[in-house]
Amino acid sequence: MFLRATTRKKDGKEHRYWSIVENRRLSDGRVLQRHVLYLGEINASQEWAWRKSIEVFEDGAKMPRTLALFPEDRCEGVMPDAAVVRLRLSELRLCRPRQWGACWLALGLWQELRLDEFWAKRLLPSRKGTRWDQVLFVLVAYRLLAPGSEWRLHREWYERSALADLLGADAALCDIHTLYRCHDRLLEHKRAVFDHLVDRWRDLFNVSFDVLLYDLTSTYFECDPPQADDAKRRFGHSRDRRSDCVQVVIALVVTPEGLPLAYEVLAGNTADNTTLRAFLARIERQYGRARRIWAMDRGIPTEAVLTEMREGDPPVHYLVGTPKGRLSRFEKALLAQSWQEARPGVDVKLLPRDGELYVYAQSRDRVAKERAMRRRKLKRLWARLRQLSLMTLTREALLMKLGAARQKAPSAWRLVEVELAEKEATFHYRLRRDKLRQARRREGRYLLRTNLTETDPAKLWHFYLQLVAVEEAFKNLKGDLAIRPIFHQLDRRIEAHIFILYLPKALHPCNPGSSPSSLIACTSR
């Protein structure tokens, strides 16, 4: 180990920053330098103290010695020898423990999907012998087991794992520059990975891909470095409630079993309803125009796209949610229909209209949950309005406090009518009972629309509930797999970072019908 100085000029002054660096001899004779500790700026006396400390670890021995180990209480009859070491077993300590079981499982799943063979053919070793396919597996296993930055992988995690032993490799796989350069070799093989995984899932689980679930999410960047005009990082509608940060949008197609079929990284200002047409064409080109059912949330398809799906040859089937405001058009017709039980606790009404079938569903558990949420918010808003009515405030202060109360409970505010005096700082409020009755009728109820000829209410409700699978996929992407923070600044490396997150999501346990999220949660722990 030795001290390394880095010089940087800032505000006309020269600064020297110090780090402890370790040399490691690789199997091919090359020397790899590993960053051990960052010291920052230190003075001359501190530098001398660190150099003396480093000398303790470097004893200067050139040749190793072979020693005999004996417990301290069993050394009778052993001749005193410098090569004999008497051990005090009571004082032994565990040093350099490594995670083995989870690493072994990740490698087994990687090989079961034959991703080792797939990448060995495409990521060929470099002239210096770097095994890029193994570097990629290290990145994927790290994201699956203990997600974090590439710098943490280089500094800490690789040494605490058994990947080097399982792969028969050395520390060269976790060199920080090697990890970053691996990102630049991945995106050209993205479509081939989709095709390969689909074939393996067909062989392992007999998956038909007749039902596809489509949804979008966004991920933001906590820093906003300079970027090109055509970069994908843009300000847009943030599902993470971080409208102050640039973001990218991720569109994902999964099967009901949770298998990620395809994904795409879009600009951060992409509107949801502009993405579906391109994905329909892409899935058709890649997997053929088979009979498929697309399940989506209400904000994704436009009327024009739904018309194209209905009028196609053959038609593309869909099941999509609709805004609750559309209930006003069909409310009278739905009242005349009778309820049918889709499953215990869930009732539906079916209403055919203009070549489509509208499915009006209610869940008793959801009714109770939404009703309790509405009561709690309305009770808090009512108490706050009463407090404000008793305060002595200026008109401007009253307006600000009313605005804050409205922003805190917008859904409950729609159920209350507030009348402010024109010149005085007083107001009157009352409950809008007509709006309350309408809200009670629609709590826990959903209006779906489909062009399926299926009339079994249980199957229709089951198709729509499968959207939970794609939401679970996004939850894993942002939670267990820790998509953030993203430290990359180049678009190609940002996309490669998300591509690496896709691969552990695709590591599915060899058990048909089980969810990959269960594996990810298990191995993460």
PDB file of all heavy atoms in Angstrom, residues 319-335:
ATOM      1  N   LEU A 319     -58.097  -4.378 -22.436  1.00  0.00           N
ATOM      2  CA  LEU A 319     -58.917  -4.133 -21.256  1.00  0.00           C
ATOM      3  C   LEU A 319     -58.282  -2.958 -20.536  1.00  0.00           C
ATOM      4  O   LEU A 319     -57.131  -3.034 -20.104  1.00  0.00           O
ATOM      5  CB  LEU A 319     -58.959  -5.367 -20.338  1.00  0.00           C
ATOM      6  CG  LEU A 319     -59.770  -5.207 -19.054  1.00  0.00           C
ATOM      7  CD1 LEU A 319     -61.246  -5.025 -19.376  1.00  0.00           C
ATOM      8  CD2 LEU A 319     -59.589  -6.412 -18.135  1.00  0.00           C
ATOM      9  N   VAL A 320     -58.997  -1.862 -20.451  1.00  0.00           N
ATOM     10  CA  VAL A 320     -58.402  -0.623 -19.972  1.00  0.00           C
ATOM     11  C   VAL A 320     -59.373   0.067 -19.019  1.00  0.00           C
ATOM     12  O   VAL A 320     -60.597  -0.036 -19.166  1.00  0.00           O
ATOM     13  CB  VAL A 320     -58.054   0.299 -21.166  1.00  0.00           C
ATOM     14  CG1 VAL A 320     -59.292   0.655 -21.958  1.00  0.00           C
ATOM     15  CG2 VAL A 320     -57.342   1.555 -20.707  1.00  0.00           C
ATOM     16  N   GLY A 321     -58.826   0.753 -18.032  1.00  0.00           N
ATOM     17  CA  GLY A 321     -59.658   1.545 -17.133  1.00  0.00           C
ATOM     18  C   GLY A 321     -60.139   2.819 -17.801  1.00  0.00           C
ATOM     19  O   GLY A 321     -59.568   3.274 -18.789  1.00  0.00           O
ATOM     20  N   THR A 322     -61.167   3.394 -17.269  1.00  0.00           N
ATOM     21  CA  THR A 322     -61.712   4.638 -17.799  1.00  0.00           C
ATOM     22  C   THR A 322     -61.828   5.652 -16.664  1.00  0.00           C
ATOM     23  O   THR A 322     -61.941   5.280 -15.492  1.00  0.00           O
ATOM     24  CB  THR A 322     -63.110   4.433 -18.417  1.00  0.00           C
ATOM     25  OG1 THR A 322     -63.998   3.993 -17.389  1.00  0.00           O
ATOM     26  CG2 THR A 322     -63.067   3.399 -19.518  1.00  0.00           C
ATOM     27  N   PRO A 323     -61.789   6.944 -16.995  1.00  0.00           N
ATOM     28  CA  PRO A 323     -61.971   7.964 -15.946  1.00  0.00           C
ATOM     29  C   PRO A 323     -63.340   7.831 -15.285  1.00  0.00           C
ATOM     30  O   PRO A 323     -64.324   7.434 -15.925  1.00  0.00           O
ATOM     31  CB  PRO A 323     -61.847   9.281 -16.717  1.00  0.00           C
ATOM     32  CG  PRO A 323     -61.108   8.937 -17.964  1.00  0.00           C
ATOM     33  CD  PRO A 323     -61.510   7.535 -18.308  1.00  0.00           C
ATOM     34  N   LYS A 324     -63.401   8.158 -13.995  1.00  0.00           N
ATOM     35  CA  LYS A 324     -64.677   8.035 -13.286  1.00  0.00           C
ATOM     36  C   LYS A 324     -65.720   9.002 -13.829  1.00  0.00           C
ATOM     37  O   LYS A 324     -66.916   8.787 -13.661  1.00  0.00           O
ATOM     38  CB  LYS A 324     -64.454   8.285 -11.793  1.00  0.00           C
ATOM     39  CG  LYS A 324     -63.731   7.144 -11.094  1.00  0.00           C
ATOM     40  CD  LYS A 324     -63.738   7.308  -9.582  1.00  0.00           C
ATOM     41  CE  LYS A 324     -63.104   6.114  -8.900  1.00  0.00           C
ATOM     42  NZ  LYS A 324     -63.123   6.225  -7.423  1.00  0.00           N
ATOM     43  N   GLY A 325     -65.249  10.078 -14.491  1.00  0.00           N
ATOM     44  CA  GLY A 325     -66.215  10.999 -15.074  1.00  0.00           C
ATOM     45  C   GLY A 325     -67.060  10.368 -16.163  1.00  0.00           C
ATOM     46  O   GLY A 325     -68.178  10.830 -16.446  1.00  0.00           O
ATOM     47  N   ARG A 326     -66.557   9.294 -16.805  1.00  0.00           N
ATOM     48  CA  ARG A 326     -67.338   8.621 -17.840  1.00  0.00           C
ATOM     49  C   ARG A 326     -68.551   7.917 -17.256  1.00  0.00           C
ATOM     50  O   ARG A 326     -69.492   7.576 -17.987  1.00  0.00           O
ATOM     51  CB  ARG A 326     -66.441   7.626 -18.575  1.00  0.00           C
ATOM     52  CG  ARG A 326     -67.053   7.019 -19.826  1.00  0.00           C
ATOM     53  CD  ARG A 326     -66.069   6.105 -20.513  1.00  0.00           C
ATOM     54  NE  ARG A 326     -65.025   6.853 -21.186  1.00  0.00           N
ATOM     55  CZ  ARG A 326     -65.047   7.143 -22.486  1.00  0.00           C
ATOM     56  NH1 ARG A 326     -66.066   6.751 -23.232  1.00  0.00           N
ATOM     57  NH2 ARG A 326     -64.072   7.834 -23.035  1.00  0.00           N
ATOM     58  N   LEU A 327     -68.560   7.714 -15.936  1.00  0.00           N
ATOM     59  CA  LEU A 327     -69.724   7.100 -15.303  1.00  0.00           C
ATOM     60  C   LEU A 327     -70.982   7.930 -15.515  1.00  0.00           C
ATOM     61  O   LEU A 327     -72.098   7.391 -15.558  1.00  0.00           O
ATOM     62  CB  LEU A 327     -69.468   6.927 -13.805  1.00  0.00           C
ATOM     63  CG  LEU A 327     -68.651   5.706 -13.374  1.00  0.00           C
ATOM     64  CD1 LEU A 327     -68.360   5.780 -11.899  1.00  0.00           C
ATOM     65  CD2 LEU A 327     -69.399   4.431 -13.704  1.00  0.00           C
ATOM     66  N   SER A 328     -70.820   9.242 -15.645  1.00  0.00           N
ATOM     67  CA  SER A 328     -71.994  10.095 -15.814  1.00  0.00           C
ATOM     68  C   SER A 328     -72.757   9.749 -17.084  1.00  0.00           C
ATOM     69  O   SER A 328     -73.993   9.867 -17.139  1.00  0.00           O
ATOM     70  CB  SER A 328     -71.563  11.569 -15.837  1.00  0.00           C
ATOM     71  OG  SER A 328     -70.842  11.897 -14.661  1.00  0.00           O
ATOM     72  N   ARG A 329     -72.052   9.287 -18.149  1.00  0.00           N
ATOM     73  CA  ARG A 329     -72.714   8.960 -19.415  1.00  0.00           C
ATOM     74  C   ARG A 329     -73.532   7.684 -19.312  1.00  0.00           C
ATOM     75  O   ARG A 329     -74.570   7.545 -19.951  1.00  0.00           O
ATOM     76  CB  ARG A 329     -71.664   8.803 -20.517  1.00  0.00           C
ATOM     77  CG  ARG A 329     -71.008  10.106 -20.939  1.00  0.00           C
ATOM     78  CD  ARG A 329     -69.903   9.852 -21.930  1.00  0.00           C
ATOM     79  NE  ARG A 329     -70.341   9.010 -23.038  1.00  0.00           N
ATOM     80  CZ  ARG A 329     -69.540   8.501 -23.962  1.00  0.00           C
ATOM     81  NH1 ARG A 329     -68.225   8.771 -23.903  1.00  0.00           N
ATOM     82  NH2 ARG A 329     -70.007   7.756 -24.939  1.00  0.00           N
ATOM     83  N   PHE A 330     -73.039   6.733 -18.500  1.00  0.00           N
ATOM     84  CA  PHE A 330     -73.676   5.409 -18.470  1.00  0.00           C
ATOM     85  C   PHE A 330     -74.352   5.103 -17.138  1.00  0.00           C
ATOM     86  O   PHE A 330     -74.775   3.974 -16.916  1.00  0.00           O
ATOM     87  CB  PHE A 330     -72.630   4.327 -18.757  1.00  0.00           C
ATOM     88  CG  PHE A 330     -71.900   4.516 -20.053  1.00  0.00           C
ATOM     89  CD1 PHE A 330     -70.560   4.829 -20.063  1.00  0.00           C
ATOM     90  CD2 PHE A 330     -72.551   4.389 -21.270  1.00  0.00           C
ATOM     91  CE1 PHE A 330     -69.871   5.003 -21.242  1.00  0.00           C
ATOM     92  CE2 PHE A 330     -71.875   4.563 -22.462  1.00  0.00           C
ATOM     93  CZ  PHE A 330     -70.531   4.870 -22.454  1.00  0.00           C
ATOM     94  N   GLU A 331     -74.451   6.122 -16.263  1.00  0.00           N
ATOM     95  CA  GLU A 331     -74.958   5.843 -14.925  1.00  0.00           C
ATOM     96  C   GLU A 331     -76.393   5.333 -14.950  1.00  0.00           C
ATOM     97  O   GLU A 331     -76.743   4.355 -14.276  1.00  0.00           O
ATOM     98  CB  GLU A 331     -74.863   7.107 -14.066  1.00  0.00           C
ATOM     99  CG  GLU A 331     -74.938   6.818 -12.589  1.00  0.00           C
ATOM    100  CD  GLU A 331     -74.385   7.961 -11.752  1.00  0.00           C
ATOM    101  OE1 GLU A 331     -74.233   9.068 -12.284  1.00  0.00           O
ATOM    102  OE2 GLU A 331     -74.111   7.716 -10.574  1.00  0.00           O
ATOM    103  N   LYS A 332     -77.254   5.944 -15.775  1.00  0.00           N
ATOM    104  CA  LYS A 332     -78.656   5.498 -15.822  1.00  0.00           C
ATOM    105  C   LYS A 332     -78.772   4.100 -16.395  1.00  0.00           C
ATOM    106  O   LYS A 332     -79.535   3.264 -15.899  1.00  0.00           O
ATOM    107  CB  LYS A 332     -79.478   6.480 -16.650  1.00  0.00           C
ATOM    108  CG  LYS A 332     -79.638   7.846 -15.998  1.00  0.00           C
ATOM    109  CD  LYS A 332     -80.529   8.744 -16.843  1.00  0.00           C
ATOM    110  CE  LYS A 332     -80.707  10.110 -16.184  1.00  0.00           C
ATOM    111  NZ  LYS A 332     -81.567  11.011 -17.008  1.00  0.00           N
ATOM    112  N   ALA A 333     -78.003   3.829 -17.448  1.00  0.00           N
ATOM    113  CA  ALA A 333     -78.066   2.491 -18.055  1.00  0.00           C
ATOM    114  C   ALA A 333     -77.519   1.429 -17.101  1.00  0.00           C
ATOM    115  O   ALA A 333     -78.027   0.300 -17.046  1.00  0.00           O
ATOM    116  CB  ALA A 333     -77.285   2.468 -19.367  1.00  0.00           C
ATOM    117  N   LEU A 334     -76.508   1.777 -16.329  1.00  0.00           N
ATOM    118  CA  LEU A 334     -75.929   0.800 -15.399  1.00  0.00           C
ATOM    119  C   LEU A 334     -76.858   0.523 -14.226  1.00  0.00           C
ATOM    120  O   LEU A 334     -76.868  -0.586 -13.685  1.00  0.00           O
ATOM    121  CB  LEU A 334     -74.575   1.312 -14.885  1.00  0.00           C
ATOM    122  CG  LEU A 334     -73.421   1.272 -15.896  1.00  0.00           C
ATOM    123  CD1 LEU A 334     -72.219   2.039 -15.358  1.00  0.00           C
ATOM    124  CD2 LEU A 334     -73.022  -0.176 -16.204  1.00  0.00           C
ATOM    125  N   LEU A 335     -77.644   1.529 -13.829  1.00  0.00           N
ATOM    126  CA  LEU A 335     -78.575   1.302 -12.724  1.00  0.00           C
ATOM    127  C   LEU A 335     -79.603   0.243 -13.063  1.00  0.00           C
ATOM    128  O   LEU A 335     -80.098  -0.478 -12.185  1.00  0.00           O
ATOM    129  CB  LEU A 335     -79.269   2.619 -12.347  1.00  0.00           C
ATOM    130  CG  LEU A 335     -78.408   3.662 -11.631  1.00  0.00           C
ATOM    131  CD1 LEU A 335     -79.186   4.952 -11.451  1.00  0.00           C
ATOM    132  CD2 LEU A 335     -77.924   3.124 -10.286  1.00  0.00           C
TER     133      LEU A 335
END
